């Protein structure tokens, strides 16, 4: 079946550090891939997406590249800020389905 | 821009009671999804509707039911509530099969927090 595997958190970094949150997936066909972010007490917000192999999604300094050969969609940011502290969810939508499948989430804490 | 509206934001019920959550999707979105998120957990897919018809079903208990109405709003009905039903319930909407960059993406509401005592 379709699934998403994320690195476990929490991830604690100092401000301006480099961030990588790993995400790999299992899916049939050509899924669309997403990163969502959830701030405390709020709903999930789309951070970025990629719909085909080698696409790079980017937003607010975050980037992720759709790698079909490694079935990965790792999230990166060159210099994190305290305001980036949140839970990050990797997700996929398999082609031909309506259902979005989420990873277990990775909590990021950035210290000043 | 209009967002996904959920109500109520907070709800407290006793065991064995019934609860109803409402969701108003983004205008012109054709698909509504319901997710349940327990404390520290990832969102678990419950059910979805495309053009008012059930399109997919996930780990939704038989005690729960949902529907989408002619105005596209959706309701999640939960009966015989159990302590384990305490969670955040998110509704999301999307425009399935759309091409613009904003389409085919889930937009979530702020969630309804259900506490079962």
């Amino acid at each position: 079946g379709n699934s998403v595997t994320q690195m476990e958190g929490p991830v604690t970094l100092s401000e301006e550090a480099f961030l990588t949150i790993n995400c790999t997936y299992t899916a049939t066909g050509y899924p669309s891939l997403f990163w969502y972010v959830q701030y405390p007490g709020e709903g999930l917000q789309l951070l970025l997406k990629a719909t085909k192999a080698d696409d790079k999604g980017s937003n607010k300094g975050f980037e992720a590249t759709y790698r079909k050969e490694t079935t990965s969609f790792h999230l990166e940011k060159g210099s994190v800020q305290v305001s980036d502290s949140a839970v990050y969810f990797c997700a996929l939508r398999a082609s031909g389905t309506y259902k979005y499948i989420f990873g277990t989430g990775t909590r990021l804490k950035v210290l000043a | 821009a209009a967002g996904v509206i959920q109500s109520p934001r907070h709800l407290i019920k006793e065991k064995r009671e019934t609860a109803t959550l409402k969701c108003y999707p983004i205008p012109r979105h054709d698909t509504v999804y319901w997710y349940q998120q327990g404390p520290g957990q990832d969102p678990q897919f419950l059910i979805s509707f495309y053009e008012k018809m059930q399109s997919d079903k996930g780990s939704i208990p038989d005690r729960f039911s949902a529907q989408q109405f002619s105005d596209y709003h959706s309701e999640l009905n939960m009966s015989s509530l159990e302590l384990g039903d305490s969670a955040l319930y998110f509704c999301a909407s999307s425009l399935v099969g759309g091409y613009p960059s904003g389409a085919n993406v889930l937009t979530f509401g702020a969630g309804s927090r259900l506490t079962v005592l």
Side-chain angles (χ1 to χ4, degrees), chain B residues 83-116:
Chain B
L83 296 178
D85 297 328
S86 296
L88 260 175
Y89 289 83
F90 287 108
C91 174
S93 72
S94 73
L95 180 62
V96 173
Y99 317 121
S101 60
N104 198 23
V105 166
L106 279 184
T107 301
F108 282 82
S112 294
R113 181 176 295 282
L114 171 67
T115 302
V116 181

Side-chain angles (χ1 to χ4, degrees), chain A residues 16-35:
Chain A
E16 299 183 3
F18 184 86
L19 168 70
T20 299
I21 300 179
N22 290 338
C23 171
T24 57
Y25 68 89
T26 301
T28 54
Y30 299 90
S32 295
L33 302 174
F34 308 84
W35 277 100

